[in-house]
Amino acid sequence: MTLRLYDTRTRGVRAVEPIRSGSVGVYVCGPTVQAAPHVGHLRSAVALDVLHRWLVTSGYAVTFVRNVTDVDDKIIHDAAHNDEPWWALSARITRAFDDAYDAVQVLRPTIDPRVTGHLPQIIALIETIIERGHAYASGGDVYLSVRTVDGYGALSNQSLDALQASEKSVPHGQTGEKRDPLDFALWKSAKPGEPSWPSPWGAGRPGWHIECSAMAVEYLGEAFDIHAGGLDLVFPHHENEIAQSACAGHAFARLWLHHGLVTAAGGEKMSKSLGNSITVAEALATTRPQVLRYGLGAAHYRSSMQWSADVAAEAEAAYSRIETFVRNAGDAVGDTEVDEALSKASWDEFAAALDDDLGVPQALAAIHSGVRAGNALLAARELPALAATLAVVRRMLAVLALDPVDQWPAGSGSELTRVVDALVALAIEARGHARDRKDYAQADALRDRLTAAGVVLEDTADGVRWRLS
RNA sequence: GGCCGGGUGGCCGAGUGGCUUAGGCAAGGGCCUGCAAAGCCCUGUACGCGGGUUCGAUUCCCGCCCCGGCCUCCA
């Protein structure tokens, strides 16, 4: 079984056949670091993290590139508005994105290149495109001549005529003359007070699309396996990347993967410009990070999903069920030896689900089936079978970065934790004595007081356990 | 207007030309428990509307309605 993914360009599911056997190169369009990350950005990162981790689990050497757009119109504008240097704003927001990724255990990319660190590569690429007759300089700008590109519009299935018909007038802030309204900027001449870099066409900065063409080739080569990003990037961003790279003679990405967007309560796309964002910081104020990860990752990556307090609550309930099983089964099993053969079917089901266009919903179904079967084995005290079930459940969870033991260890080390544990143990002991002499009124009174304090007791075959409600 | 995606049981969310029609949450019943908690079992019979193809369609085709994305910066 090999991984099959939906390819936007061919509009169908295709097997991933790496260009270099055994290794896979992935380029992801990362954020423009202009404002604090919202849960939509995190959903993107989590969805692509599942791709990253599944490729690694499948045995590939993965080069995962996720760029950072650290200079653009909005960054410049917002920084000026804040009375802050543009580079300080982008550095600050880059840090906020990294913190958000770390909070939900998104693997670090192999490299996360920034636009401002790749001006030589960008300028060289533009020169190549001009030399090959596909771009022209005009008034300090450089434009790509869209009509010279064979197959422009293939990714987004747009015809040139249709695009022409809906094309608006020349966008603001461009001083040069386009030969054709469809042409787009590879290089923008500097305006007073804006950051700029020297180039053969005068001081200026890169257009939005060219950076990705340049950085992808820099780190993955002229041909690579997978290019990913949000559905909102298909046109014009990815269409233009394809055009630029084709004009430079690069084969570029083999497969184009696009994930769905997160909607806010009203059903509209969550975005900075619509002002309906829930920031990652806001979400984490009310939702545990592992639950946020579970919730954002639970829907199929290509579907749109809503994020709200209700969705978060459901994720909490579903994930707690998994946590409870892993904890209870772990205690019961101890170091019982694990017979891998007993759990092969579950793993195979899980692997087949992920191989089929990253079918996380079906993969989660396999995990939940394992949990249900495991809980039954726990009740029956069938420890060898339980040990195997627990092992495979945790192995599946680990692929999704959701293992409660290794990846999300409970708050530990704090002196307070030890104190609370000792105090609760004292109360549990007293309640045990009361139960032994069948003084249930007293036992229940003790339990009620713990409940009121936010401590839930469970009487299990392995003794009384407690957790925070 | 053009291009794309979607409308599934109380909710979220998979999937399929008929077969045992995921999984989670919520609900009801049962079991377990001193009582709870946790857990297990059972129940609910869904596929936007109208046609068509078919022995048979939620699944394929046509039309319509509704929702969303892109066509301007956007994960």
Side-chain angles (χ1 to χ4, degrees):
Chain A
M1 194 71 183
T2 56
L3 176 60
R4 291 148 41 83
L5 293 173
Y6 184 87
D7 175 28
T8 304
R9 177 151 51 180
T10 53
R11 279 171 273 284
V13 175
R14 289 175 37 202
V16 173
E17 289 159 354
I19 293 168
R20 286 174 294 277
S21 174
S23 65
V24 174
V26 180
Y27 185 90
V28 174
C29 286
T32 299
V33 283
Q34 172 233 341
H38 56 64
V39 293
H41 294 115
L42 211 54
R43 192 270 175 110
S44 168
V46 168
L48 297 174
D49 191 51
V50 171
L51 171 67
H52 189 171
R53 289 171 181 270
W54 186 236
L55 287 168
V56 170
T57 302
S58 301
Y60 292 111
V62 180
T63 304
F64 195 94
V65 181
R66 185 182 59 217
N67 79 295
V68 176
T69 300
D70 60 346
V71 62
D72 91 321
D73 292 343
K74 286 194 164 183
I75 292 172
I76 294 165
H77 173 269
D78 286 9
H81 195 259
N82 295 354
D83 210 13
E84 179 182 21
W86 64 272
W87 47 266
L89 173 64
S90 63
R92 186 163 57 78
I93 302 297
T94 301
R95 175 70 65 87
F97 270 86
D98 286 341
D99 288 348
Y101 296 145
D102 286 348
V104 296
Q105 306 251 11
V106 170
L107 289 179
R108 299 275 171 91
T110 316
I111 183 156
D112 44 357
R114 295 158 193 226
V115 176
T116 53
H118 296 78
L119 268 296
Q121 292 91 334
I122 290 169
I123 289 169
L125 181 60
I126 296 173
E127 286 182 309
T128 301
I129 296 171
I130 293 174
E131 280 161 22
R132 292 170 62 101
H134 292 291
Y136 54 91
S138 171
D141 296 338
V142 178
Y143 295 99
L144 188 132
S145 183
V146 166
R147 300 256 177 205
T148 70
V149 184
D150 281 343
Y152 187 84
L155 181 72
S156 55
N157 200 32
Q158 311 265 356
S159 76
L160 289 179
D161 292 340
L163 289 168
Q164 179 96 59
S166 62
E167 183 72 21
K168 314 235 164 83
S169 54
V170 178
H172 315 290
Q174 291 178 189
T175 55
E177 285 280 314
K178 287 185 183 183
R179 291 178 190 166
D180 187 298
L182 292 178
D183 295 350
F184 60 89
L186 301 178
W187 187 262
K188 300 167 156 182
S189 63
K191 313 306 172 288
E194 290 188 352
S196 67
W197 288 260
S199 83
W201 317 286
R205 58 193 166 88
W208 176 36
H209 317 294
I210 195 70
E211 62 187 68
C212 288
S213 286
M215 293 189 287
V217 168
E218 175 75 10
Y219 296 105
L220 297 172
E222 293 183 4
F224 59 94
D225 299 296
I226 299 171
H227 191 129
L231 215 41
D232 52 352
L233 298 182
V234 174
F235 190 91
H237 185 53
H238 289 163
E239 195 74 71
N240 289 352
E241 280 186 52
I242 290 172
Q244 292 159 348
S245 296
C247 289
H250 300 162
F252 215 55
R254 269 200 180 178
L255 191 147
W256 288 83
L257 181 144
H258 291 98
H259 64 257
L261 306 175
V262 174
T263 61
E268 273 184 320
K269 178 173 81 160
M270 189 176 287
S271 78
K272 286 169 282 201
S273 44
L274 291 173
N276 58 1
S277 303
I278 299 171
T279 65
V280 173
E282 287 166 347
L284 286 174
T286 54
T287 306
R288 296 185 293 152
Q290 55 271 61
V291 171
L292 186 58
R293 178 169 179 118
Y294 181 96
L296 289 174
H300 187 91
Y301 77 88
R302 280 195 286 116
S303 62
S304 62
M305 69 174 301
Q306 198 188 84
W307 188 258
S308 65
D310 287 349
V311 176
E314 233 191 64
E316 170 64 43
Y319 189 67
S320 306
R321 178 177 157 77
I322 294 171
E323 288 179 307
T324 300
F325 166 69
V326 170
R327 189 196 57 198
N328 291 355
D331 286 352
V333 159
D335 46 16
T336 305
E337 208 164 301
V338 172
D339 181 355
E340 298 279 351
L342 290 177
S343 57
K344 187 172 183 308
S346 290
W347 176 260
D348 288 349
E349 186 187 342
F350 177 82
L354 288 184
D355 275 339
D356 183 12
D357 197 26
L358 301 176
V360 170
Q362 296 94 321
L364 286 175
I367 289 173
H368 278 108
S369 297
V371 168
R372 188 175 352 91
N375 275 323
L377 293 168
L378 176 63
R381 310 300 295 176
E382 294 183 25
L383 295 188
L386 176 60
T389 301
L390 175 63
V392 74
V393 164
R394 289 190 53 202
R395 203 169 141 219
M396 296 188 286
L397 287 169
V399 172
L400 303 176
L402 292 170
D403 179 42
V405 179
D406 288 342
Q407 291 162 322
W408 300 96
S412 59
S414 133
E415 287 176 31
L416 215 52
T417 306
R418 294 215 314 278
V419 172
V420 169
D421 197 49
L423 290 174
V424 172
L426 200 64
I428 288 173
E429 201 180 309
R431 171 173 170 265
H433 291 319
R435 293 177 74 204
D436 287 344
R437 56 177 191 269
K438 304 224 186 298
D439 182 357
Y440 294 121
Q442 174 67 15
D444 289 353
L446 283 165
R447 185 172 61 194
D448 288 348
R449 289 190 61 183
L450 288 173
T451 304
V455 174
V456 179
L457 296 191
E458 293 174 21
D459 297 328
T460 77
D462 299 300
V464 182
R465 25 183 353 121
W466 70 273
R467 64 186 162 84
L468 298 177
S469 61

